[in-house]
Amino acid sequence: MVSCCCKIPIFVFIFLLLLVISSSICATHSSETGNSQANNQTFRPEEESKKLKLVRERLNKINKPALKTIQSPDGDIIDCVLLRHQPAFDHPKLKGKKPLDPPESPNGHNRKGMAAEDFQMWMMSGESCPEGTIPIRRTTEGDMLRASSVASFGKKPTRLVRRDSTSDGHEHAVGYVSGDEYYGAKANINVWAPRVSNQYEFSLSQLWVISGSFGDDLNTIEAGWQVSPELYGDYYPRFFTYWTSDAYQATGCYNLLCSGFVQTNNRIAIGAAISPTSSYGGGQFDISLLVWKVNLVPPPNYYTNKMFTNL
């Protein structure tokens, strides 16, 4: 596996996603065996009631009012939410702002000439979200109750972050470039459906853009696919994003589970299952990810520089 990891002086990042048929990979591949099996605990009605209250309050913040609802064949519910109502604009630095018009793509990357984006299961229904809305995978009580706590839902565990493959229970291969000034990165990532052995394991392949040291000031933008039964409740490979501006301590989250990432594409549901997938000796299927710097006007699906300290 290969990874594209860049240290970039940046104002705004975006990525585009498309389905292509290929075999090249530019990614970080990772899997983890979790040892956080739930211990036997005494049932306490008052504590359970308090937890359910916190879960429902969090769900009310994450799940926004929908203009249209789509039932996906894999069991997901996709809500078509107005652009200005998405979770990104709950962030204090984005509150009151509006999604901006997209600028031109980088040279040599014509969005209109890219392959069709119908690569997710929810699109198999034949339904789509109308213009002016974005598809958001609805978060359920079950999703949140699988997390170790309400506060940790949708976040990576806080731990020492390393770029090499030495880590307790976390096996990964990373290839990277650094030491220059970069304005973007692209990866074609082969999509598979690896079988993890239990709810607390995950497997992923991703593009990882980083800046800062591997300490408290690490900034990252991440995108790829992952199999994570703890997060999603199944074993489908799902398109994901992640960001942090403080080495996974207090900021950032997966997908749209917190404020920050601004989505404008109405055909891609972040967190939704990918189909088809590659098979040994059979068809090979890629997703292509593109992250680039824009100085003036943020394009569709973007992070603003206000979210980061180094990027």
Side-chain angles (χ1 to χ4, degrees), residues 58 66 92 154 178 265:
R58 179 79 182 275
S178 62
N265 189 300

Side-chain angles (χ1 to χ4, degrees), residues 49-301:
S49 177
K50 183 179 179 180
K51 183 176 182 179
L52 281 175
K53 182 180 179 182
L54 291 174
V55 165
R56 288 164 185 164
E57 288 176 352
R58 179 79 182 275
L59 286 173
N60 286 335
K61 292 181 179 180
I62 295 174
N63 294 326
K64 302 300 184 180
L67 287 185
K68 180 180 178 180
T69 296
I70 300 170
Q71 180 68 57
S72 175
D74 63 342
D76 281 353
I77 296 175
I78 304 297
D79 290 324
C80 301
V81 176
L82 286 172
L83 287 171
R84 64 180 181 275
H85 290 167
Q86 64 181 290
F89 295 103
D90 292 337
H91 194 282
K93 293 182 179 179
L94 296 178
K95 199 173 278 288
K97 306 292 184 181
K98 295 181 180 179
L100 301 177
D101 294 332
E104 296 181 1
S105 300
N107 292 336
H109 295 279
N110 182 7
R111 289 196 297 270
K112 293 182 179 178
M114 290 180 175
E117 295 166 342
D118 296 349
F119 67 99
Q120 293 185 304
M121 285 192 181
W122 71 277
M123 298 294 289
M124 295 179 183
S125 65
E127 298 283 342
S128 61
C129 285
E131 292 293 329
T133 69
I134 59 167
I136 300 180
R137 178 184 180 270
R138 185 182 298 179
T139 303
T140 67
E141 279 190 11
D143 291 335
M144 296 197 68
L145 291 173
R146 284 191 301 273
S148 59
S149 69
V150 175
S152 66
F153 174 68
K155 295 179 176 293
K156 292 187 178 184
T158 302
R159 62 186 173 205
L160 178 65
V161 181
R162 301 175 64 99
R163 189 159 51 194
D164 59 32
S165 58
T166 304
S167 182
D168 293 337
H170 191 174
E171 300 173 353
H172 57 282
V174 180
Y176 62 92
V177 292
S178 62
D180 207 339
E181 187 171 282
Y182 301 98
Y183 293 87
K186 181 180 180 180
N188 296 323
I189 303 179
N190 199 229
V191 180
W192 294 82
R195 188 73 180 181
V196 296
S197 61
N198 63 61
Q199 174 180 316
Y200 302 99
E201 287 189 348
F202 71 86
S203 185
L204 63 78
S205 192
Q206 70 175 71
L207 170 69
W208 196 24
V209 179
I210 66 174
S211 183
S213 65
F214 280 75
D216 294 345
D217 67 341
L218 183 70
N219 287 198
T220 79
I221 294 173
E222 305 166 45
W225 62 261
Q226 65 178 169
V227 173
S228 177
E230 182 177 13
L231 186 58
Y232 303 106
D234 57 34
Y235 294 85
Y236 292 116
R238 293 173 175 272
F239 172 56
F240 82 94
T241 62
Y242 200 94
W243 69 276
T244 181
S245 61
D246 61 359
Y248 307 104
Q249 295 183 80
T251 64
C253 64
Y254 281 109
N255 308 331
L256 301 180
L257 296 177
C258 67
S259 57
F261 180 70
V262 181
Q263 180 174 343
T264 60
N265 189 300
N266 70 334
R267 298 184 63 82
I268 298 172
I270 302 175
I274 299 172
S275 181
T277 59
S278 299
S279 60
Y280 181 74
Q284 303 296 300
F285 299 92
D286 283 1
I287 55 175
S288 182
L289 305 172
L290 176 62
V291 178
W292 84 88
K293 171 185 175 180
V294 177
N295 289 330
L296 299 176
V297 184
N301 303 343

